[in-house]
Amino acid sequence: LAPGAELLMTKGIPCFTFPELAVRALGGLVNYGRIRERPAKTPLPRYPEVEPEVVRQVFDRVREDRRRTLLGSEAIAVVAAYGIPVAPVRLARRPAEVVAYAEELGYPVVLKVASPEIIHKTDIGGVRVGLQTPEEVNEAFWEIMERVHEHLPRAVVHGVEVQKMCPRGTELIVGVTRDIQFGPLIAFGLGGIYVNLLKDAAFRLVWGIDEQQVEEMIKETKAYTLLRGYRGEKPRDTSALVNIISRVACLVNDFPEIVEMDLNPVFAYEKGAVALDVKITIK
């Protein structure tokens, strides 16, 4: 960069080499302003049954623990407080609790290591699925603990999450990231292992989003081809997905301290949809 341009940029003053880039940037700002000011065509409902106090209590406990990343069970409690369907989960802090919770939830179950320092649990053997008996659950618990100690001996482990295993559906993702300038962005697309592979996602600003925009998001993705019914598969319940995305938008609007959130995967069925894994990071 030229010395003058470098000086401007270090002071946070936009500097463009060509006028076309400057005009494009100004056009983007004008368009963003119009988006912020336009009224919603079909405003998202204010869900009367939501429990913001539950969310505040979870966030307060996380801050008291000097963490920014919620445990899976905490994140699921947060989204459940806003009426988002989730697979029930229990946090077992002692070996004896693991089997007890599995019996309570009913087999088959999934076990996941509970640690804010372990984001990709499957990479280190921190997840076991399809467990059908108390013996399998007990064995899986000790195997997970051994794998975690082997790969990340210094990681803080809060226990193991026991989760009811759901039937497989179409794997989707609903995500949120908070941009410094533009605020929260919500994303929808194919989930599971396909997120990074196919990069199939549609984005919207959360501010001013309405149900029509949510429906448009879904239709923009390759996932919509699967949801409509592909090669003999029956259509999935897109209205249930609109409900989940809309409730996520309300949650992040109500709690600006949410920096990032992923519901991945969300399983979509012929009737209904459910979030299996939830990750939330707060300020």
Side-chain angles (χ1 to χ4, degrees):
L1 292 175
E6 188 173 357
L7 178 62
L8 289 171
M9 295 183 72
T10 57
K11 300 298 182 181
I13 301 172
C15 181
F16 300 92
T17 306
F18 299 101
E20 292 85 356
L21 295 176
V23 171
R24 189 182 302 171
L26 288 172
L29 285 173
V30 170
N31 188 45
Y32 172 65
R34 289 171 178 165
I35 291 172
R36 288 292 305 271
E37 292 174 0
R38 72 187 179 192
K41 294 180 181 178
T42 51
L44 297 179
R46 293 304 307 169
Y47 303 101
E49 78 281 8
V50 300
E51 300 178 285
E53 189 56 39
V54 172
V55 179
R56 291 191 190 95
Q57 290 172 2
V58 172
F59 287 171
D60 287 345
R61 288 198 301 269
V62 172
R63 292 191 186 99
E64 288 172 5
D65 202 23
R66 297 186 178 182
R67 290 187 282 121
R68 295 179 64 243
T69 302
L70 277 64
L71 301 177
S73 54
E74 293 169 333
I76 282 179
V78 166
V79 298
Y82 267 64
I84 297 167
V86 291
V89 64
R90 302 286 186 272
L91 176 61
R93 299 184 182 276
R94 294 183 296 274
E97 293 178 336
V98 179
V99 173
Y101 286 144
E103 297 279 344
E104 175 191 331
L105 294 173
Y107 297 102
V109 297
V110 178
L111 296 193
K112 307 175 187 178
V113 62
S115 171
E117 300 174 33
I118 305 174
I119 304 301
H120 302 291
K121 304 176 181 67
T122 54
D123 293 347
I124 63 163
V127 178
R128 289 290 304 276
V129 303
L131 304 173
Q132 299 276 3
T133 65
E135 292 75 21
E136 289 182 2
V137 168
N138 186 65
E139 181 181 348
F141 169 81
W142 291 111
E143 285 182 359
I144 288 174
M145 291 294 102
E146 186 177 338
R147 295 284 179 84
V148 171
H149 182 73
E150 177 185 341
H151 289 89
L152 296 168
R154 296 186 179 181
V156 177
V157 177
H158 291 257
V160 168
E161 290 163 346
V162 186
Q163 189 172 38
K164 177 68 177 175
M165 189 169 179
C166 296
R168 180 165 291 278
T170 302
E171 291 190 54
L172 305 161
I173 182 173
V174 178
V176 173
T177 184
R178 192 172 291 274
D179 184 85
I180 295 175
Q181 272 125 4
F182 301 116
L185 300 169
I186 195 162
F188 170 81
L190 285 171
I193 63 173
Y194 304 110
V195 174
N196 297 320
L197 179 64
L198 300 181
K199 302 186 185 304
D200 174 49
F203 297 86
R204 290 292 187 280
L205 289 169
V206 170
W207 283 327
I209 195 170
D210 56 33
E211 288 192 350
Q212 181 177 330
Q213 291 183 55
V214 173
E215 291 171 359
E216 290 171 358
M217 278 182 70
I218 296 173
K219 292 177 181 178
E220 285 176 12
T221 63
K222 296 182 180 72
Y224 185 58
T225 302
L226 299 177
L227 295 172
R228 284 175 14 189
Y230 184 71
R231 291 196 171 182
E233 291 285 336
K234 293 184 178 180
R236 301 310 189 203
D237 189 349
T238 54
S239 62
L241 297 172
V242 170
N243 177 60
I244 288 176
I245 297 170
S246 300
R247 288 175 181 270
V248 167
C250 288
L251 173 61
V252 297
N253 261 336
D254 289 349
F255 291 91
E257 60 262 55
I258 296 176
V259 178
E260 291 181 343
M261 178 164 61
D262 278 341
L263 283 67
N264 182 31
V266 173
F267 277 178
Y269 304 111
E270 292 176 49
K271 291 186 178 180
V274 61
L276 275 69
D277 198 20
V278 183
K279 297 181 178 69
I280 296 178
T281 302
I282 61 174
K283 290 180 182 178

